[in-house]
Amino acid sequence: DNCSSDLEATFTDSVADGTCPNASIITRTWSLTDDCDNTATFAQTITVQDTTAPTFSVPADITVECDVDVTDLTITGDITDENDNCSSDLEATFTDSVSDGTCPNSSIITRTWSLTDDCDNTTTFVQTITVQDTTAPTFSVPADITIECDVDVTDLTLTGDATDEADNCSSDLEATYTDSVADGTCPSSSIITRTWSLTDDCDNTTTFVQTITVQDTTAPMFNETLPIDIDAECDAVPTAETMTATDNCGTAEVTFEEEITYGSCMGDYIIVRIWTATDSCGNEAVHTQIITVQDNTAPTLVSSFNDTIIVSCDAIPEVPSLVFEDSCSNNIDVSFNEESNQTNDLEDYNITRTWTVTDDCGNQALFTQNITIERSNIIEAIDVNRCILDSEFDLFDLLSGDFDMNGTWSVDSGDATIDGSLFDPSSAEVGVYTFMYSITEGPCPTEKIVTVTLDDDCVVLACGEENVVISKSVTANGDAYNEFFTITGVEDCGFVIELQIFNRWGAEIYKSNNYLNDWNGEAHGSSIGSSGKVPTGTYYYIINLKNSGLAPIAGPIYVATN
């Protein structure tokens, strides 16, 4: 200044935005004032720009396996030293370009890294990532195994299969094998060297060897049913069986030998028969049959012979003249005996004839003939009282015993009318009537009189034993009369009828815990003897009327089934 000294110029700035965040234009106004306030002013323009690109270090090129995650930057490399002269908090980014490698699981990744500051200054580097597959697949080889020669070596369920195939990059891999076969110690044996291989999509291969030893330790099997040890009579020694055999892996040869050891007599000895089946590997199957030959057979009957005979009345057959023979003896002793259990002329009885036949070796046979003599048409009559108001009843109900049911009923005395064997008291007057049952056919004709007294005392005791009407006979011949054994008269009393039927020997042939008047001479399947129609004859019943308070009722019943 012309007058003042020690002056100092000052400035003020005015800042305007530039073309990017890091750029601006500063207008700087400089002023200088002297002691008398004389002022000089000048303007300075400062242009601020950013033309410097950011910096960073690119990851090194890298080679990785195909199972590596290439997006995992901790493995492939990351950028951690991003820097810029003006911008901050910059983060480098990348883009990948993938090209095929030399096999399906390999590739080449060109990774382009970029870092741009706030003014679009950009730095770019390229990283090359080589993806390769050098890892072989894995699997567990089946264990070495020893098998029989008849096993199918191609059946992997038997010899073992590789089921855990795995690879780091390839999928759906299947192990395969090839076999090399060497001869064994005999024709049916061998040693198989099975080489298992597993190859991934990049031709990485894993190989294992399994050894399969094929052996033949199984003996042949005879084709025929094996002869069992037997005891044979001296005249019935069987011929030796012709045996063949089958082997599981080849053929078999059968040899036979026989040894005889004699006993104390010609009819007493032991035969040992041995069959041996051998295959090509020397495995043997041996079967031995021992036949004990002896004379244990008693004499037999040559003549025709009826061992069971049923006759009527006195038609007893003569004692037959029987002829016997023995397989090994000529000297036969025969003794005869006859016994009868007859006690009277009214009941059936049996005659038992026995022939005892002994050969010279002490073998004895008994031949028995049982003759049943049926005293046909043995009839017991029951005289009864009936009320003239009673309903029609069967005159057969007044007879018991063992007799022919095909006879004829007739009125013997009294002015009465009958319909076959049916008599209706309501059709007659009070009085005494007799009826005759006549059997004129067959070996034992007979007649029997029954008396029926009719009165007018018709007081009925409800549900008492007197009201129970029980069949005296059953004629199951299809004529609609007396077809079933019936228990009537107490139908409205609420009783449950339990019935048992027994034959003359006391064996139960029928039983019902709720009898419905439906037994017609059938023997049940669990009865003693066989089921089906019982033979004609006299049987016995026991009736229990449950809930009645009455004692059981027992009696005979005649059954005719023919």
Side-chain angles (χ1 to χ4, degrees), residues 319-559:
V319 177
S321 179
L322 302 180
V323 178
F324 304 93
E325 68 177 8
D326 187 73
S327 58
C328 299
S329 299
N330 295 322
N331 184 17
I332 300 175
D333 179 67
V334 180
S335 62
F336 174 75
N337 182 59
E338 180 175 287
E339 295 180 351
S340 172
N341 66 351
Q342 182 179 13
T343 59
N344 55 58
D345 293 332
L346 299 177
E347 296 181 351
D348 296 350
Y349 66 97
N350 293 320
I351 294 175
T352 302
R353 294 171 175 171
T354 304
W355 290 262
T356 303
V357 187
T358 308
D359 66 14
D360 60 1
C361 290
N363 299 304
Q364 189 175 84
L366 297 179
F367 299 90
T368 301
Q369 183 180 63
N370 292 307
I371 304 173
T372 300
I373 296 88
E374 294 183 343
R375 306 298 293 178
S376 300
N377 302 328
I378 299 174
I379 306 174
E380 295 293 331
I382 303 172
D383 295 334
V384 296
N385 287 12
R386 287 288 189 269
C387 177
I388 60 173
L389 299 181
D390 286 348
S391 60
E392 182 181 67
F393 69 96
D394 196 331
L395 293 175
F396 276 117
D397 292 344
L398 307 181
L399 300 181
S400 64
D402 188 357
F403 58 92
D404 187 350
M405 299 291 289
N406 294 320
T408 304
W409 283 96
S410 63
V411 179
D412 182 66
S413 68
D415 184 13
T417 302
I418 60 174
D419 179 9
S421 63
L422 303 177
F423 173 52
D424 186 357
S426 64
S427 67
E429 302 292 335
V430 172
V432 178
Y433 299 86
T434 59
F435 303 91
M436 178 181 291
Y437 181 63
S438 301
I439 301 174
T440 59
E441 302 294 333
C444 300
T446 188
E447 294 179 344
K448 199 68 176 180
I449 299 293
V450 296
T451 300
V452 179
T453 301
L454 296 183
D455 58 38
D456 56 4
D457 184 8
C458 296
V459 177
V460 178
L461 297 176
C463 300
E465 185 173 349
E466 301 87 348
N467 301 92
V468 181
V469 180
I470 302 171
S471 294
K472 299 300 181 182
S473 62
V474 174
T475 57
N477 55 13
D479 64 358
Y481 294 104
N482 299 316
E483 287 292 316
F484 298 96
F485 179 68
T486 59
I487 303 166
T488 58
V490 290
E491 290 86 343
D492 299 325
C493 297
F495 301 158
V496 175
I497 302 174
E498 292 182 343
L499 172 64
Q500 291 174 277
I501 303 290
F502 302 87
N503 63 19
R504 68 181 69 187
W505 296 282
E508 181 187 89
I509 63 168
Y510 176 78
K511 181 178 181 180
S512 174
N513 291 326
N514 184 15
Y515 184 60
L516 301 174
N517 291 332
D518 54 0
W519 185 69
N520 64 346
E522 290 281 346
H524 55 59
S526 61
S527 66
I528 296 177
S530 61
S531 61
K533 291 290 186 181
V534 300
T536 297
T538 300
Y539 296 83
Y540 301 89
Y541 60 79
I542 296 178
I543 299 170
N544 180 26
L545 300 176
K546 293 185 67 176
N547 307 322
S548 69
L550 300 176
I553 304 169
I557 174 67
Y558 176 75
V559 179

Side-chain angles (χ1 to χ4, degrees), residues 226-240:
L226 298 178
I228 62 174
D229 295 344
I230 60 172
D231 294 336
E233 283 296 299
C234 54
D235 63 341
V237 177
T239 58

Side-chain angles (χ1 to χ4, degrees), residues 89-160:
D89 297 328
L90 298 182
E91 185 72 28
T93 61
F94 66 87
T95 58
D96 286 344
S97 174
V98 182
S99 60
D100 292 338
T102 58
C103 66
N105 294 329
S106 66
S107 60
I108 298 175
I109 300 173
T110 300
R111 179 164 288 175
T112 302
W113 290 91
S114 296
L115 184 63
T116 302
D117 64 14
D118 294 337
C119 286
D120 294 331
N121 298 298
T122 300
T123 299
T124 301
F125 293 109
V126 173
Q127 176 191 17
T128 300
I129 301 173
T130 302
V131 179
Q132 64 183 3
D133 181 3
T134 62
T135 302
T138 62
F139 67 97
S140 298
V141 67
D144 294 343
I145 189 173
T146 298
I147 59 176
E148 280 295 296
C149 52
D150 57 349
V151 170
D152 181 4
V153 295
T154 65
D155 187 347
L156 301 185
T157 63
L158 301 177
T159 59

